[in-house]
Amino acid sequence: MKIKVLPEDFIVKEEIDIEIKPNGKYKIYLLKKKHWNTVDALKFISKENKIPFEKIGCAGRKDRHALTYQYISVPREYDINFNKENVKLEFLGYSDDFVSPMILKGNYFEVVIRKIKNKDERIFQRLDEIKRFGFPNYFDDQRFGSVENEQEFIGERIAKKHYNGALKLYFTTIHPEDKREEKERKKKIFELWGEFEKVLPLCKTKVEKDIIKTLMKGKSRHYLIEAVNLIPKEEMSMFFSAYQSYIWNRILSTVLPYYTDLLRPVKGKIMEYLIYRTLSEKALEELKNLQIPTVSSKIPYVNNFVNNTILEVLNERGLKPSDFDLKKIKKSFYKSFLRPAIVFPENLEVSNFEEDDFYSGYFKLKLKFHLPAGSFATMLIKSLMILY
């Protein structure tokens, strides 16, 4: 089975809690896009309209491999004109509130599943199980960006105070969309790392140049910290949230076997996701009410089992909660929040089998459903695919 064959196969529409009015402090726009991730789209909008990037409010980051509808805001004194192929903006009105994750209620999804071999009725049974028992609320692979293995988290390097390693990853991590020339540039920087006078001519952006010039001042910890603090706030926040998400996933996969031994592994980019089909009534009731905190220096108490599991997972990574108290890092920080262990789709609908118009001789299905903010539709699809 395949998803995201075409952007229109994976439609995401934000549901936000904001009052749009004829007047207000902020202008509200609907951003419709495909083939672009949210951050890149906003960077282009910022550059073309000469609006500081941090002045653009958004509620969440959306995948490039989808057709997405989301809301953005700017202070009313700014005007946005931006209408590129695959990125469209529609002015909706004004609001006294700006767009942020705080106003995101959830997302509506329409997902086409393609390349289904047979009209397998078990799919409908499995969807009924998901309606009743939900599915594990893991952060999915896209949350981890370009991280390809468990040792490449810049957020972990910074928490461990391995600043040189964090900066080396920042300069040399190869992204899937990097062209051949960019991959070669990063490989060259990797080889020359430490010889910063030779790295400087390979730098492309002002941020890269400023970081390398800082490292050229000396090898002391002071200059390493100064260089790390030159990483833009938005990027630093993404590095921290990616690592928090990975650790949270590890905690959940350690907790779930306590509730059921009927777990099947589904391979992800950097880890396996343990997924159940059904739960006992007792386990269902307990997991429905279980919220697991993300890591920070101050982790909320849930119960002895969960909080001890958090400490065990951190210990496996060579960390303890106090390591996340990053007093010397100025632009971002680790903040703990509670996240439901399992999630239930609302208003889940499924079409009948249709002939696949892309893969001849196969069938397709369309799913429609709502999920709470922060939950991943792709995890619902992974939970469905344990049939195979």
Side-chain angles (χ1 to χ4, degrees):
M1 300 197 298
K2 289 185 175 291
I3 62 169
K4 298 185 178 180
V5 176
L6 306 169
E8 291 77 10
D9 285 350
F10 202 95
I11 297 173
V12 189
K13 296 181 179 180
E14 282 185 346
E15 299 168 328
I16 61 171
D17 182 16
I18 194 168
E19 183 184 1
I20 296 175
K21 308 189 299 185
N23 213 334
K25 291 168 63 178
Y26 299 93
K27 291 177 179 174
I28 308 298
Y29 295 82
L30 179 65
L31 171 63
K32 176 184 176 182
K33 65 173 186 61
K34 60 182 178 180
H35 302 306
W36 290 64
N37 67 47
T38 300
V39 173
D40 285 345
L42 295 186
K43 282 181 178 176
F44 273 88
I45 291 168
S46 166
K47 183 178 178 181
E48 294 232 344
N49 290 276
K50 296 181 171 56
I51 299 172
F53 183 79
E54 62 271 15
K55 296 288 186 182
I56 304 176
C58 77
R61 303 183 188 111
K62 298 291 186 285
D63 196 351
R64 71 171 69 244
H65 304 294
L67 175 58
T68 68
Y69 298 79
Q70 63 186 119
Y71 297 88
I72 67 170
S73 64
V74 293
R76 65 171 298 139
E77 61 265 27
Y78 293 104
D79 288 315
I80 296 181
N81 292 298
F82 194 88
N83 218 351
K84 300 285 186 185
E85 185 180 8
N86 300 324
V87 184
K88 310 289 182 188
L89 276 177
E90 178 188 350
F91 175 65
L92 300 178
Y94 296 85
S95 178
D96 290 327
D97 198 2
F98 58 91
V99 177
S100 74
M102 298 297 293
I103 66 164
L104 181 62
K105 296 191 297 182
N107 292 286
Y108 167 74
F109 296 91
E110 292 183 10
V111 180
V112 177
I113 304 174
R114 295 185 181 273
K115 210 174 184 181
I116 303 171
K117 283 187 178 180
N118 304 302
K119 293 184 178 181
D120 189 347
E121 297 293 326
R122 292 183 304 159
I123 290 177
F124 301 111
Q125 177 191 348
R126 179 70 190 116
L127 288 169
D128 285 338
E129 289 172 351
I130 290 171
K131 284 181 187 178
R132 181 178 175 190
F133 299 105
F135 60 92
N137 196 24
Y138 293 109
F139 296 93
D140 207 353
D141 291 346
Q142 57 266 42
R143 183 76 166 194
F144 309 131
S146 299
V147 176
E148 293 291 335
N149 69 65
E150 298 170 311
Q151 307 310 317
E152 291 182 356
F153 283 102
I154 292 176
E156 179 174 89
R157 299 286 179 97
I158 292 174
K160 289 181 174 180
K161 317 298 187 287
H162 296 172
Y163 301 122
N164 182 63
L167 289 164
K168 188 174 182 180
L169 280 175
Y170 180 72
F171 275 82
T172 62
T173 297
I174 292 174
H175 307 293
E177 63 269 22
D178 284 346
K179 293 184 170 59
R180 182 180 175 183
E181 181 184 341
E182 178 65 1
K183 290 178 182 177
E184 291 302 318
R185 183 182 80 95
K186 289 180 176 179
K187 287 177 183 176
K188 191 67 176 175
I189 292 174
F190 184 92
E191 293 167 4
L192 294 172
W193 192 258
E195 301 178 70
F196 297 119
E197 67 284 350
K198 294 180 181 178
V199 172
L200 185 60
L202 297 171
C203 294
K204 290 174 67 175
T205 67
K206 183 178 184 302
V207 169
E208 286 185 348
K209 291 173 184 175
D210 288 346
I211 290 174
I212 296 302
K213 285 177 182 177
T214 300
L215 294 175
M216 288 169 65
K217 295 177 185 177
K219 296 181 179 180
S220 72
R221 194 175 186 81
H222 169 78
Y223 292 120
L224 285 169
I225 293 169
E226 184 181 330
V228 168
N229 277 310
L230 292 171
I231 295 174
K233 180 179 179 180
E234 176 66 25
E235 291 183 87
M236 188 73 85
S237 297
M238 286 194 291
F239 298 148
F240 287 178
S241 65
Y243 189 59
Q244 272 190 320
S245 303
Y246 166 72
I247 292 295
W248 192 93
N249 280 2
R250 284 295 183 197
I251 295 163
L252 179 59
S253 67
T254 306
V255 165
L256 281 177
Y258 177 80
Y259 294 94
T260 177
D261 55 4
L262 302 174
L263 291 160
R264 290 190 57 181
V266 174
K267 186 172 176 54
K269 184 169 67 169
I270 59 173
M271 65 175 289
E272 286 187 333
Y273 300 99
L274 296 179
I275 295 173
Y276 57 81
R277 285 193 62 169
T278 63
L279 296 167
S280 69
E281 289 301 323
K282 182 175 183 293
L284 175 62
E285 194 58 34
E286 290 183 10
L287 282 170
K288 276 170 64 175
N289 295 304
L290 179 63
Q291 298 207 52
I292 297 174
T294 57
V295 292
S296 72
S297 60
K298 297 178 180 178
I299 300 171
Y301 178 79
V302 176
N303 57 49
N304 287 343
F305 171 60
V306 169
N307 286 80
N308 286 337
T309 300
I310 295 171
L311 296 179
E312 288 171 13
V313 170
L314 288 178
N315 185 58
E316 289 171 4
R317 304 297 297 182
L319 287 163
K320 55 188 182 301
S322 60
D323 292 325
F324 295 91
D325 185 9
L326 305 177
K327 291 185 173 67
K328 297 184 183 297
I329 306 302
K330 300 172 183 176
K331 292 183 178 177
S332 192
F333 58 93
Y334 283 98
K335 182 179 180 181
S336 192
F337 62 90
L338 292 168
R339 178 179 174 85
I342 66 174
V343 66
F344 296 80
E346 296 181 7
N347 305 315
L348 176 58
E349 299 177 14
V350 58
S351 69
N352 291 319
F353 287 106
E354 297 177 21
E355 290 187 7
D356 193 329
D357 50 336
F358 197 90
Y359 294 102
S360 179
Y362 291 89
F363 298 93
K364 67 178 182 179
L365 284 173
K366 177 182 276 192
L367 305 181
K368 297 180 181 181
F369 53 93
H370 298 256
L371 286 177
S375 295
F376 288 76
T378 45
M379 284 311 310
L380 186 152
I381 304 302
K382 281 185 171 69
S383 298
L384 175 62
M385 288 182 177
I386 64 170
L387 285 172
Y388 304 96

